[in-house]
Short mmCIF file of all heavy atoms in Angstrom, two decimals:
data_model
loop_
_atom_site.label_atom_id
_atom_site.label_comp_id
_atom_site.label_asym_id
_atom_site.label_seq_id
_atom_site.Cartn_x
_atom_site.Cartn_y
_atom_site.Cartn_z
N MET A 871 62.68 133.76 51.66
CA MET A 871 62.66 133.79 53.04
C MET A 871 61.24 133.43 53.54
O MET A 871 61.19 132.75 54.60
CB MET A 871 62.95 135.23 53.56
CG MET A 871 64.37 135.50 53.37
SD MET A 871 64.91 137.02 54.18
CE MET A 871 64.05 138.29 53.38
N ILE A 872 60.15 133.77 52.86
CA ILE A 872 58.86 133.40 53.30
C ILE A 872 58.68 131.89 53.18
O ILE A 872 58.17 131.23 54.26
CB ILE A 872 57.80 134.02 52.37
CG1 ILE A 872 57.78 135.55 52.69
CG2 ILE A 872 56.43 133.41 52.68
CD1 ILE A 872 56.91 136.34 51.61
N ALA A 873 59.21 131.21 52.26
CA ALA A 873 59.13 129.72 52.15
C ALA A 873 59.96 129.10 53.27
O ALA A 873 59.60 128.11 53.87
CB ALA A 873 59.56 129.30 50.81
N ALA A 874 61.16 129.59 53.57
CA ALA A 874 61.95 129.10 54.61
C ALA A 874 61.29 129.14 55.97
O ALA A 874 61.34 128.35 56.79
CB ALA A 874 63.30 129.79 54.60
N ARG A 875 60.65 130.32 56.13
CA ARG A 875 60.02 130.47 57.38
C ARG A 875 58.78 129.67 57.57
O ARG A 875 58.38 129.14 58.59
CB ARG A 875 59.63 132.00 57.59
CG ARG A 875 60.79 132.93 57.88
CD ARG A 875 60.49 134.34 58.01
NE ARG A 875 61.69 135.09 58.26
CZ ARG A 875 61.83 136.33 58.05
NH1 ARG A 875 60.85 137.12 57.66
NH2 ARG A 875 62.96 136.98 58.34
N ALA A 876 58.06 129.46 56.43
CA ALA A 876 56.93 128.53 56.42
C ALA A 876 57.31 127.12 56.82
O ALA A 876 56.53 126.28 57.30
CB ALA A 876 56.19 128.61 55.03
N LEU A 877 58.64 126.69 56.55
CA LEU A 877 59.07 125.46 56.84
C LEU A 877 59.69 125.39 58.35
O LEU A 877 60.16 124.34 58.72
CB LEU A 877 60.10 124.97 55.73
CG LEU A 877 59.59 124.74 54.49
CD1 LEU A 877 60.75 124.53 53.44
CD2 LEU A 877 58.61 123.66 54.41
N GLY A 878 59.57 126.55 59.06
CA GLY A 878 60.09 126.49 60.40
C GLY A 878 61.48 126.94 60.49
O GLY A 878 61.93 126.96 61.73
N LEU A 879 62.17 127.40 59.50
CA LEU A 879 63.46 127.89 59.56
C LEU A 879 63.42 129.47 59.91
O LEU A 879 62.47 130.15 59.60
CB LEU A 879 64.23 127.76 58.37
CG LEU A 879 64.57 126.33 57.92
CD1 LEU A 879 64.93 126.12 56.48
CD2 LEU A 879 65.69 125.87 58.86
N ASP A 880 64.45 129.91 60.65
CA ASP A 880 64.60 131.38 60.71
C ASP A 880 65.39 131.83 59.47
O ASP A 880 66.34 131.14 59.03
CB ASP A 880 65.33 131.65 62.00
CG ASP A 880 64.66 131.40 63.25
OD1 ASP A 880 63.30 131.61 63.15
OD2 ASP A 880 65.19 130.88 64.14
N ALA A 881 65.11 132.99 58.93
CA ALA A 881 65.75 133.51 57.73
C ALA A 881 65.90 134.99 57.78
O ALA A 881 65.06 135.64 58.34
CB ALA A 881 64.87 133.05 56.47
N GLY A 882 67.07 135.49 57.39
CA GLY A 882 67.30 136.92 57.41
C GLY A 882 68.19 137.44 56.32
O GLY A 882 69.14 136.62 56.06
N PRO A 883 68.02 138.55 55.71
CA PRO A 883 69.03 139.01 54.76
C PRO A 883 70.23 139.49 55.35
O PRO A 883 70.30 140.02 56.52
CB PRO A 883 68.21 140.15 54.03
CG PRO A 883 67.24 140.70 55.18
CD PRO A 883 66.92 139.44 55.99
N MET A 884 71.35 139.38 54.76
CA MET A 884 72.70 139.87 55.17
C MET A 884 73.31 140.84 54.16
O MET A 884 73.07 140.71 52.94
CB MET A 884 73.62 138.61 55.34
CG MET A 884 73.20 137.69 56.39
SD MET A 884 74.16 136.17 56.44
CE MET A 884 75.83 136.78 56.39
N SER A 885 73.92 141.91 54.64
CA SER A 885 74.59 142.83 53.73
C SER A 885 75.93 143.01 54.36
O SER A 885 76.32 142.54 55.42
CB SER A 885 73.81 144.08 53.81
OG SER A 885 73.87 144.78 55.06
N GLY A 886 76.70 143.74 53.58
CA GLY A 886 78.13 144.05 54.07
C GLY A 886 79.12 142.89 53.81
O GLY A 886 80.18 142.86 54.34
N PHE A 887 78.79 142.05 52.91
CA PHE A 887 79.63 140.99 52.57
C PHE A 887 80.45 141.39 51.35
O PHE A 887 80.25 142.36 50.65
CB PHE A 887 78.91 139.70 52.28
CG PHE A 887 77.73 139.81 51.23
CD1 PHE A 887 78.03 139.64 49.89
CD2 PHE A 887 76.54 140.24 51.63
CE1 PHE A 887 77.08 139.80 48.90
CE2 PHE A 887 75.46 140.28 50.68
CZ PHE A 887 75.86 140.18 49.37
N ASP A 888 81.55 140.67 51.04
CA ASP A 888 82.42 140.86 50.00
C ASP A 888 81.81 140.20 48.61
O ASP A 888 82.02 139.06 48.34
CB ASP A 888 83.78 140.29 50.16
CG ASP A 888 84.81 140.59 49.08
OD1 ASP A 888 84.49 141.20 47.98
OD2 ASP A 888 86.02 140.25 49.40
N ALA A 889 80.91 140.99 47.96
CA ALA A 889 80.19 140.55 46.81
C ALA A 889 81.21 140.01 45.68
O ALA A 889 81.03 139.12 45.01
CB ALA A 889 79.31 141.50 46.22
N GLU A 890 82.24 140.73 45.42
CA GLU A 890 83.28 140.33 44.46
C GLU A 890 83.80 138.98 44.76
O GLU A 890 83.98 138.09 43.82
CB GLU A 890 84.37 141.39 44.37
CG GLU A 890 85.42 141.06 43.29
CD GLU A 890 86.49 142.13 43.20
OE1 GLU A 890 86.05 143.27 43.33
OE2 GLU A 890 87.59 141.84 42.87
N ARG A 891 84.05 138.64 46.04
CA ARG A 891 84.65 137.33 46.42
C ARG A 891 83.57 136.23 46.27
O ARG A 891 83.84 135.15 45.75
CB ARG A 891 85.07 137.44 47.85
CG ARG A 891 85.66 136.08 48.39
CD ARG A 891 86.99 135.73 47.73
NE ARG A 891 87.45 134.44 48.08
CZ ARG A 891 88.37 134.24 49.02
NH1 ARG A 891 88.94 135.19 49.63
NH2 ARG A 891 88.85 132.98 49.23
N ILE A 892 82.27 136.54 46.56
CA ILE A 892 81.20 135.59 46.33
C ILE A 892 81.07 135.28 44.92
O ILE A 892 80.99 134.05 44.50
CB ILE A 892 79.92 136.15 47.03
CG1 ILE A 892 79.99 136.42 48.52
CG2 ILE A 892 78.85 135.16 46.65
CD1 ILE A 892 80.15 135.13 49.42
N ASN A 893 81.11 136.32 44.07
CA ASN A 893 80.97 136.11 42.63
C ASN A 893 82.11 135.22 42.18
O ASN A 893 81.87 134.31 41.32
CB ASN A 893 80.86 137.42 41.93
CG ASN A 893 79.60 138.17 42.14
OD1 ASN A 893 78.55 137.57 42.41
ND2 ASN A 893 79.67 139.44 42.09
N GLN A 894 83.30 135.53 42.67
CA GLN A 894 84.47 134.78 42.11
C GLN A 894 84.42 133.23 42.62
O GLN A 894 84.74 132.44 41.84
CB GLN A 894 85.67 135.43 42.77
CG GLN A 894 86.97 134.66 42.37
CD GLN A 894 88.24 135.35 43.06
OE1 GLN A 894 88.07 136.51 43.61
NE2 GLN A 894 89.32 134.57 43.12
N ASP A 895 84.01 133.06 43.90
CA ASP A 895 83.97 131.66 44.43
C ASP A 895 82.84 130.89 43.84
O ASP A 895 82.99 129.62 43.73
CB ASP A 895 83.97 131.71 45.98
CG ASP A 895 85.34 132.14 46.49
OD1 ASP A 895 86.28 132.35 45.68
OD2 ASP A 895 85.29 132.52 47.68
N PHE A 896 81.67 131.48 43.63
CA PHE A 896 80.42 130.70 43.43
C PHE A 896 79.94 130.83 41.94
O PHE A 896 79.25 129.88 41.38
CB PHE A 896 79.28 131.01 44.38
CG PHE A 896 79.58 130.58 45.75
CD1 PHE A 896 80.16 131.37 46.78
CD2 PHE A 896 79.23 129.28 46.11
CE1 PHE A 896 80.38 130.97 48.05
CE2 PHE A 896 79.43 128.84 47.39
CZ PHE A 896 80.00 129.77 48.34
N PHE A 897 80.25 132.01 41.35
CA PHE A 897 79.59 132.29 40.00
C PHE A 897 80.64 132.57 38.90
O PHE A 897 80.30 133.08 37.88
CB PHE A 897 78.65 133.45 40.17
CG PHE A 897 77.59 133.27 41.21
CD1 PHE A 897 77.53 134.09 42.20
CD2 PHE A 897 76.74 132.16 41.13
CE1 PHE A 897 76.48 134.00 43.21
CE2 PHE A 897 75.79 132.02 42.08
CZ PHE A 897 75.54 132.98 43.13
N HIS A 898 81.90 132.11 39.21
CA HIS A 898 82.93 132.37 38.22
C HIS A 898 82.58 131.64 36.84
O HIS A 898 82.12 130.50 36.85
CB HIS A 898 84.29 131.71 38.68
CG HIS A 898 85.44 131.93 37.79
ND1 HIS A 898 85.95 133.18 37.50
CD2 HIS A 898 86.01 131.12 36.89
CE1 HIS A 898 86.96 132.93 36.63
NE2 HIS A 898 87.02 131.71 36.25
N GLY A 899 82.69 132.42 35.73
CA GLY A 899 82.45 131.84 34.41
C GLY A 899 81.00 131.83 34.06
O GLY A 899 80.68 131.23 33.08
N THR A 900 80.15 132.52 34.89
CA THR A 900 78.68 132.61 34.56
C THR A 900 78.31 134.05 34.50
O THR A 900 79.14 134.97 34.73
CB THR A 900 77.83 131.93 35.60
OG1 THR A 900 77.83 132.66 36.80
CG2 THR A 900 78.27 130.54 35.90
N ASP A 901 77.09 134.39 34.10
CA ASP A 901 76.55 135.71 34.07
C ASP A 901 75.98 136.09 35.30
O ASP A 901 75.41 137.18 35.55
CB ASP A 901 75.57 135.83 32.89
CG ASP A 901 76.17 135.79 31.54
OD1 ASP A 901 77.23 136.03 31.43
OD2 ASP A 901 75.42 135.40 30.59
N TRP A 902 75.94 135.15 36.28
CA TRP A 902 75.27 135.37 37.61
C TRP A 902 76.14 136.25 38.44
O TRP A 902 77.27 136.21 38.53
CB TRP A 902 74.98 134.08 38.24
CG TRP A 902 73.87 133.21 37.68
CD1 TRP A 902 73.78 133.01 36.32
CD2 TRP A 902 73.01 132.40 38.29
NE1 TRP A 902 72.69 132.14 36.03
CE2 TRP A 902 72.26 131.74 37.33
CE3 TRP A 902 72.66 132.09 39.59
CZ2 TRP A 902 71.14 130.92 37.62
CZ3 TRP A 902 71.67 131.25 39.84
CH2 TRP A 902 70.90 130.69 38.92
N GLN A 903 75.38 137.01 39.41
CA GLN A 903 76.05 137.89 40.33
C GLN A 903 75.16 137.81 41.58
O GLN A 903 74.03 137.65 41.58
CB GLN A 903 76.13 139.35 39.94
CG GLN A 903 77.09 139.50 38.80
CD GLN A 903 77.35 140.99 38.52
OE1 GLN A 903 76.76 141.90 39.10
NE2 GLN A 903 78.07 141.26 37.48
N VAL A 904 75.89 137.86 42.77
CA VAL A 904 75.28 137.86 43.99
C VAL A 904 74.60 139.17 44.23
O VAL A 904 74.99 140.21 43.87
CB VAL A 904 76.18 137.52 45.17
CG1 VAL A 904 77.22 138.70 45.34
CG2 VAL A 904 75.46 137.33 46.57
N ASN A 905 73.27 139.15 44.75
CA ASN A 905 72.49 140.35 45.20
C ASN A 905 72.44 140.45 46.59
O ASN A 905 72.72 141.55 47.14
CB ASN A 905 71.12 140.17 44.62
CG ASN A 905 70.29 141.51 44.75
OD1 ASN A 905 70.96 142.49 45.09
ND2 ASN A 905 69.10 141.47 44.60
N LEU A 906 72.15 139.34 47.30
CA LEU A 906 72.30 139.48 48.72
C LEU A 906 72.42 138.04 49.25
O LEU A 906 72.21 137.00 48.54
CB LEU A 906 70.86 140.02 49.40
CG LEU A 906 69.67 139.31 49.15
CD1 LEU A 906 69.28 138.42 50.36
CD2 LEU A 906 68.46 140.26 48.96
N LEU A 907 72.73 137.80 50.50
CA LEU A 907 72.89 136.51 51.14
C LEU A 907 71.67 136.42 52.20
O LEU A 907 71.27 137.49 52.79
CB LEU A 907 74.11 136.47 51.91
CG LEU A 907 75.48 136.41 51.06
CD1 LEU A 907 76.66 136.30 51.91
CD2 LEU A 907 75.50 135.41 49.99
N ILE A 908 71.29 135.15 52.31
CA ILE A 908 70.28 134.99 53.35
C ILE A 908 70.78 133.89 54.25
O ILE A 908 71.14 132.81 53.86
CB ILE A 908 68.89 134.42 52.70
CG1 ILE A 908 68.34 135.55 51.67
CG2 ILE A 908 67.87 134.11 53.63
CD1 ILE A 908 67.25 135.17 50.81
N ASN A 909 70.70 134.29 55.56
CA ASN A 909 71.04 133.24 56.56
C ASN A 909 69.93 132.32 56.98
O ASN A 909 68.77 132.87 56.89
CB ASN A 909 71.61 133.98 57.85
CG ASN A 909 70.76 134.85 58.47
OD1 ASN A 909 69.56 134.52 58.70
ND2 ASN A 909 71.21 136.08 58.80
N LEU A 910 70.15 131.11 57.02
CA LEU A 910 69.09 130.10 57.48
C LEU A 910 69.55 129.28 58.58
O LEU A 910 70.65 128.98 58.73
CB LEU A 910 68.91 129.19 56.21
CG LEU A 910 68.28 129.78 54.92
CD1 LEU A 910 68.34 128.73 53.81
CD2 LEU A 910 66.93 130.30 55.06
N GLY A 911 68.55 128.92 59.43
CA GLY A 911 68.74 128.11 60.55
C GLY A 911 67.77 128.14 61.57
O GLY A 911 66.63 128.65 61.34
N TYR A 912 68.03 127.53 62.72
CA TYR A 912 67.13 127.53 63.84
C TYR A 912 67.67 128.34 64.95
O TYR A 912 68.68 128.06 65.52
CB TYR A 912 66.88 126.07 64.25
CG TYR A 912 66.27 125.16 63.28
CD1 TYR A 912 67.09 124.34 62.49
CD2 TYR A 912 64.94 125.21 62.88
CE1 TYR A 912 66.49 123.43 61.52
CE2 TYR A 912 64.42 124.45 61.95
CZ TYR A 912 65.10 123.56 61.29
OH TYR A 912 64.66 122.82 60.27
N GLY A 913 67.07 129.44 65.20
CA GLY A 913 67.45 130.43 66.18
C GLY A 913 67.07 129.97 67.59
O GLY A 913 66.36 129.05 67.83
N ASP A 914 67.71 130.69 68.68
CA ASP A 914 67.39 130.42 69.95
C ASP A 914 66.52 131.45 70.42
O ASP A 914 66.88 132.63 70.57
CB ASP A 914 68.75 130.56 70.79
CG ASP A 914 68.57 130.11 72.26
OD1 ASP A 914 67.43 130.05 72.61
OD2 ASP A 914 69.57 130.01 72.90
N ALA A 915 65.24 131.11 70.66
CA ALA A 915 64.10 132.10 70.86
C ALA A 915 64.37 132.77 72.23
O ALA A 915 63.98 133.86 72.55
CB ALA A 915 62.83 131.42 71.05
N THR A 916 65.15 132.12 73.08
CA THR A 916 65.47 132.78 74.44
C THR A 916 66.45 133.93 74.32
O THR A 916 66.52 134.80 75.24
CB THR A 916 66.07 131.71 75.37
OG1 THR A 916 67.37 131.24 75.01
CG2 THR A 916 65.16 130.56 75.62
N LYS A 917 66.96 134.08 73.18
CA LYS A 917 68.03 135.23 72.91
C LYS A 917 67.45 136.33 72.14
O LYS A 917 68.23 137.35 71.83
CB LYS A 917 69.29 134.62 72.33
CG LYS A 917 70.05 133.66 73.25
CD LYS A 917 71.36 133.22 72.73
CE LYS A 917 71.99 132.30 73.62
NZ LYS A 917 73.30 131.85 73.23
N LEU A 918 66.26 136.29 71.78
CA LEU A 918 65.61 137.34 71.08
C LEU A 918 65.29 138.52 71.91
O LEU A 918 64.89 138.42 73.10
CB LEU A 918 64.30 136.91 70.33
CG LEU A 918 64.44 135.77 69.26
CD1 LEU A 918 63.11 135.33 68.80
CD2 LEU A 918 65.29 136.20 68.17
N HIS A 919 65.40 139.74 71.31
CA HIS A 919 65.01 141.03 72.07
C HIS A 919 63.56 141.24 71.75
O HIS A 919 62.95 140.86 70.66
CB HIS A 919 65.82 142.14 71.51
CG HIS A 919 67.37 141.97 71.63
ND1 HIS A 919 68.00 142.15 72.85
CD2 HIS A 919 68.32 141.63 70.79
CE1 HIS A 919 69.13 141.97 72.75
NE2 HIS A 919 69.48 141.59 71.54
N ASP A 920 62.96 141.80 72.66
CA ASP A 920 61.58 142.29 72.48
C ASP A 920 61.42 143.36 71.40
O ASP A 920 62.44 144.09 71.22
CB ASP A 920 60.97 142.94 73.82
CG ASP A 920 60.73 141.81 74.85
OD1 ASP A 920 60.60 140.67 74.52
OD2 ASP A 920 60.68 142.26 76.02
N ARG A 921 60.23 143.38 70.69
CA ARG A 921 60.14 144.29 69.57
C ARG A 921 59.93 145.71 70.23
O ARG A 921 59.25 145.93 71.29
CB ARG A 921 58.76 144.00 68.92
CG ARG A 921 58.51 144.84 67.72
CD ARG A 921 57.35 144.45 67.05
NE ARG A 921 56.99 145.38 65.97
CZ ARG A 921 56.13 145.28 65.12
NH1 ARG A 921 55.44 144.11 64.97
NH2 ARG A 921 55.80 146.20 64.14
N LEU A 922 60.58 146.67 69.62
CA LEU A 922 60.54 148.09 70.07
C LEU A 922 59.06 148.58 69.94
O LEU A 922 58.32 148.13 69.03
CB LEU A 922 61.55 148.95 69.40
CG LEU A 922 63.04 148.62 69.53
CD1 LEU A 922 63.88 149.46 68.67
CD2 LEU A 922 63.41 148.79 70.94
N PRO A 923 58.68 149.59 70.73
CA PRO A 923 57.40 150.15 70.59
C PRO A 923 57.20 150.79 69.23
O PRO A 923 58.08 151.32 68.69
CB PRO A 923 57.20 151.19 71.71
CG PRO A 923 58.59 151.34 72.28
CD PRO A 923 59.48 150.26 71.82
N ARG A 924 55.97 150.63 68.68
CA ARG A 924 55.58 151.26 67.40
C ARG A 924 54.56 152.42 67.73
O ARG A 924 53.69 152.27 68.56
CB ARG A 924 55.00 150.18 66.47
CG ARG A 924 55.95 149.06 66.21
CD ARG A 924 57.18 149.51 65.32
NE ARG A 924 57.92 148.44 64.84
CZ ARG A 924 59.06 147.92 65.29
NH1 ARG A 924 59.44 148.39 66.42
NH2 ARG A 924 59.68 147.00 64.77
N PRO A 925 54.54 153.43 67.01
CA PRO A 925 53.54 154.43 67.03
C PRO A 925 52.08 153.91 66.70
O PRO A 925 52.01 152.92 65.78
CB PRO A 925 53.88 155.60 66.21
CG PRO A 925 54.95 154.95 65.24
CD PRO A 925 55.49 153.80 65.87
N ASP A 926 51.07 154.37 67.26
CA ASP A 926 49.75 154.01 66.89
C ASP A 926 49.48 154.53 65.46
O ASP A 926 50.12 155.53 64.99
CB ASP A 926 48.66 154.73 67.79
CG ASP A 926 48.74 154.05 69.14
OD1 ASP A 926 49.08 152.87 69.24
OD2 ASP A 926 48.47 154.82 70.12
N PHE A 927 48.49 153.98 64.71
CA PHE A 927 48.19 154.30 63.34
C PHE A 927 47.87 155.83 63.31
O PHE A 927 48.40 156.53 62.46
CB PHE A 927 47.02 153.52 62.83
CG PHE A 927 46.53 153.93 61.38
CD1 PHE A 927 47.22 153.37 60.28
CD2 PHE A 927 45.65 154.77 61.13
CE1 PHE A 927 46.95 153.72 59.08
CE2 PHE A 927 45.20 155.14 59.99
CZ PHE A 927 45.92 154.64 58.86
N GLU A 928 47.02 156.31 64.21
CA GLU A 928 46.60 157.73 64.26
C GLU A 928 47.85 158.66 64.39
O GLU A 928 47.94 159.82 63.81
CB GLU A 928 45.61 157.96 65.29
CG GLU A 928 44.30 157.32 65.14
CD GLU A 928 44.32 155.81 65.38
OE1 GLU A 928 45.26 155.41 66.07
OE2 GLU A 928 43.39 155.06 64.84
N GLU A 929 48.91 158.24 65.16
CA GLU A 929 49.89 158.97 65.39
C GLU A 929 50.98 159.03 64.16
O GLU A 929 51.61 160.07 63.82
CB GLU A 929 50.79 158.47 66.63
CG GLU A 929 52.04 159.31 66.99
CD GLU A 929 52.81 158.67 68.11
OE1 GLU A 929 52.26 157.71 68.73
OE2 GLU A 929 53.89 159.14 68.43
N ALA A 930 50.96 157.90 63.35
CA ALA A 930 51.96 157.74 62.26
C ALA A 930 51.31 158.24 60.95
O ALA A 930 52.15 158.63 60.11
CB ALA A 930 52.39 156.25 62.16
N CYS A 931 50.05 158.27 60.83
CA CYS A 931 49.44 158.55 59.53
C CYS A 931 48.46 159.76 59.63
O CYS A 931 47.81 159.98 60.64
CB CYS A 931 48.59 157.34 59.08
SG CYS A 931 49.61 155.85 58.75
N ARG A 932 48.54 160.56 58.52
CA ARG A 932 47.63 161.78 58.60
C ARG A 932 47.09 161.78 57.15
O ARG A 932 47.73 161.66 56.14
CB ARG A 932 48.39 163.07 58.84
CG ARG A 932 47.51 164.20 58.77
CD ARG A 932 48.27 165.44 59.25
NE ARG A 932 49.72 165.41 58.73
CZ ARG A 932 50.52 166.31 58.92
NH1 ARG A 932 50.28 167.35 59.52
NH2 ARG A 932 51.74 166.23 58.45
N PHE A 933 45.70 162.05 57.08
CA PHE A 933 45.05 162.23 55.82
C PHE A 933 44.65 163.68 55.57
O PHE A 933 44.21 164.25 56.45
CB PHE A 933 43.79 161.30 55.72
CG PHE A 933 44.16 159.87 55.69
CD1 PHE A 933 44.01 159.07 57.00
CD2 PHE A 933 44.53 159.13 54.59
CE1 PHE A 933 44.35 157.77 56.96
CE2 PHE A 933 44.85 157.81 54.70
CZ PHE A 933 44.72 157.02 55.84
N ALA A 934 44.99 164.14 54.38
CA ALA A 934 44.63 165.59 54.17
C ALA A 934 43.42 165.73 53.31
O ALA A 934 42.92 164.88 52.70
CB ALA A 934 45.83 166.26 53.38
#
């Protein structure tokens, strides 16, 4: 994903897919199995949501 993003592509992991079907369709007869899918493409920046607020470091971390 880092390499794809470095080339200007948007990339993101996908879960909830039918792994058995992917293995059957793409890896039949091999020892390979799908772990995750990565979507690639050029997204529409006008449809992105703003990042949610994050706590400050001092609020989120404590040293004993």
Side-chain angles (χ1 to χ4, degrees):
M871 287 190 298
I872 294 171
R875 289 178 179 164
L877 294 173
L879 289 164
D880 292 321
M884 295 172 44
S885 63
F887 55 88
D888 185 350
E890 186 175 322
R891 179 69 187 260
I892 299 290
N893 290 331
Q894 176 184 347
D895 290 348
F896 290 93
F897 305 121
H898 180 73
T900 72
D901 292 337
W902 288 41
Q903 291 186 1
V904 66
N905 186 14
L906 64 99
L907 296 180
I908 299 173
N909 58 50
L910 295 171
Y912 297 102
D914 183 352
T916 64
K917 295 185 179 181
L918 294 176
H919 299 285
D920 290 334
R921 183 175 174 172
L922 295 174
R924 303 293 194 262
D926 292 330
F927 179 83
E928 291 77 17
E929 183 182 352
C931 299
R932 179 176 38 179
F933 294 98

